[in-house]
């Protein structure tokens, strides 16, 4: 703490008579290592005593080899010193450097020769020897190496001792770089100026005003840290909803806000009866094929539904009613009992409609708005946009006055609340609705028209067998949960949204709310 203060005061007093001073100069005059100094500077800047500007420049620095020479001697000088007064033969000089001569005959074998040439000691010696000759330390005469003169100085070492005076770009610097004794390195430093709170003496800044300081009047002489209103609070570690659940929650809130009640959806295994037959979907409809539907093997068949209901559905399929001639085929009881994983949430709606019709018998007619959001299953090949299990959102309105116009109105309002304002309806075919409409929306992020749902008015052929009175209309629409979630959370591959591929960190950091209505 005290040392920190001392350094801070040293820096501040250096600035007292200077407009600006750089951190390298400060480091040199104070003797504080540059890296450590930067820490003090940042603290002083945070307290507004100083302002700093980051700068960088190239500097000549000694390489490891340069440093070694500076601390002992150069290679050529070492050779020079090992040459005795009367001269020496090459073999003997090399021996002094630990270089062994290979026996003659072996030298002739190519392989060995190569090995010797690679000897790093020999390489270093050859280099030093060459330089010692070039620099006029030694000479060679008839195989005898001798000193040119006695008591020559180590010129390289002398040069390195003057290293601090060598300017970048000078011929001396170039030579040192060439000889790999120095290199250029970029250093970062700061230009330091006085800040708004500058004073030559550093006063400790308190983080908070204490009762004590207030009571004894110390506060008058204290400096307080300014409050950083942009500081983030400490991250709270807690559970987070998966993106699908976040979107699901928002959808259900929107629907609840529009007066819809949630249906119980906790039954993944459903009989074909509720998923298909009760929806007036013929038994030979391609969607019932094993390619699209997961059939259960154990138990393969579901329990009987109410026989009266079953017979009504059967006769509607076979011969029709309510102005329809039906599909004119032999309806199989067994086929309807086949257990499957529900392929759409409309299976939940059909069951609910039957229940409502039962209640009508006791209580008489009442209008109702229902919704569901849950998993459905289809035997799809998995890819970036398809999973074998996904979620559907479905809304159903049971009302004597329900009309196609009302359906379009509700759909518009629903999508408006998730930020999709431009909608298009396109006629389509569903076995259970007539008219049926695909819903397209202008995607504000993708900036194009995309299919976002399917809808329609439930057919009398479906409603009559369930017991819904003829004057009661039922309108409904459905959409997937995954597509909007992927779009709003920018998830490119649906497979990263489920199972082990889910990144817990993104689940944590994802926005709490994604939809914005205009
Ligand atoms: N069940 C339809 C589907 O799976 C959606 C839908 C629901 C259509 C209700 C019309 C009415 O795509």
């Amino acid at each position: 703490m005290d040392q920190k203060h001392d350094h801070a005061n040293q820096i501040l007093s250096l600035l007292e008579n200077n407009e600006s001073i750089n951190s390298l100069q400060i480091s040199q005059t104070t003797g504080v290592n540059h890296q450590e100094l930067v820490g003090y500077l940042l603290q002083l800047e945070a307290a507004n005593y100083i302002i700093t500007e980051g700068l960088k420049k190239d500097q000549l620095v000694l390489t490891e080899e340069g440093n070694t020479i500076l601390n002992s001697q150069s290679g050529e000088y070492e050779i020079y010193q090992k040459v005795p007064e009367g001269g020496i033969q090459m073999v003997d000089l090399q021996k002094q450097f630990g270089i062994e001569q290979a026996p003659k005959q072996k030298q002739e074998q190519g392989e060995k020769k190569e090995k010797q040439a690679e000897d790093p000691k020999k390489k270093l010696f050859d280099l030093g020897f060459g330089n010692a000759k070039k620099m006029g330390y030694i000479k060679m005469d008839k195989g005898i190496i001798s000193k040119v003169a006695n008591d020559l100085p180590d010129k390289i070492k002398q040069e390195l001792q003057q290293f601090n005076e060598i300017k970048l770009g000078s011929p001396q610097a170039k030579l040192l770089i060439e000889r790999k004794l120095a290199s250029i390195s970029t250093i970062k430093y700061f230009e330091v100026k006085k800040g708004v709170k500058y004073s030559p003496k550093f006063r400790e800044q308190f983080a908070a005003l204490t009762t004590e300081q207030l009571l004894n009047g110390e506060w008058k002489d204290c400096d307080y840290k300014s409050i950083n209103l942009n500081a983030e609070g400490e991250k709270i570690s807690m559970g987070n909803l998966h993106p699908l659940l976040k979107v699901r929650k928002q959808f259900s809130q929107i629907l609840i806000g529009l007066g819809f009640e949630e249906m119980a959806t906790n039954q993944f295994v459903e009989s074909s009866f509720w998923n298909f037959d009760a929806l007036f979907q013929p038994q030979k409809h391609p969607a019932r094929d094993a390619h699209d539907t997961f059939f259960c093997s154990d138990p393969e068949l579901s329990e009987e539904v109410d026989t009266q209901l079953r017979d009504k559905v059967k006769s509607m399929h076979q011969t029709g009613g309510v102005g329809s001639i039906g599909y004119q085929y032999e309806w199989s009881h067994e086929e309807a009992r086949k257990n499957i994983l529900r392929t759409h949430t409309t299976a939940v709606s059909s069951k609910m409609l039957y229940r409502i019709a039962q209640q009508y018998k006791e209580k008489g007619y009442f209008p109702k708005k229902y919704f569901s959001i849950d998993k459905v299953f289809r035997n799809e090949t998995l890819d970036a946009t398809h999973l074998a299990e996904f979620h559907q959102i479905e809304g159903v309105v049971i009302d004597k006055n329900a009309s196609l116009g009302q359906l379009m109105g509700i759909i518009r309002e629903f999508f408006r609340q998730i930020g999709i304002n431009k909608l298009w309806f396109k006629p389509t075919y569903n076995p259970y609705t007539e008219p049926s409409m695909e819903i397209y929306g202008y995607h504000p992020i993708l900036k194009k028209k995309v299919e976002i749902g399917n809808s329609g008015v439930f057919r009398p052929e479906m409603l009559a067998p369930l017991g819904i009175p003829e004057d009661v209309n039922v309108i409904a629409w459905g959409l997937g949960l995954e597509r909007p979630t992927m779009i709003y959370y920018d998830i490119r591959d649906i497979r990263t949204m489920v199972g082990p591929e889910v990144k817990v960190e993104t689940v944590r950091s994802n926005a709490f709310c994604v939809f914005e209505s205009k």
Side-chain angles (χ1 to χ4, degrees), residues 356-367 400 469 472:
I356 291 275
Q358 302 287 97
Q359 288 178 35
Y360 281 173
K361 280 187 202 152
E362 285 171 29
K363 298 187 203 160
Y365 161 80
F366 52 87
K400 278 189 176 169
V472 175

Side-chain angles (χ1 to χ4, degrees), residues 267-277 283 287-290 292-305 332-343 347 351 377:
Q267 193 182 325
F268 293 167
V269 176
E270 196 50 271
S271 71
S272 297
F273 181 84
W274 292 112
N275 194 87
F276 297 124
D277 297 277
Q283 293 186 328
R288 294 207 191 194
D289 203 288
D292 288 342
T293 304
F294 287 114
F295 287 89
C296 299
S297 51
D298 187 19
E300 196 187 335
L301 298 181
S302 71
E303 296 197 347
E304 260 327 329
V305 289
S332 150
H333 179 202
E334 172 111 347
E335 188 64 40
R337 281 186 63 198
K338 281 185 184 164
N339 274 327
I340 59 163
L341 293 179
R342 68 173 173 229
T343 64
K351 226 175 188 178
F377 306 83

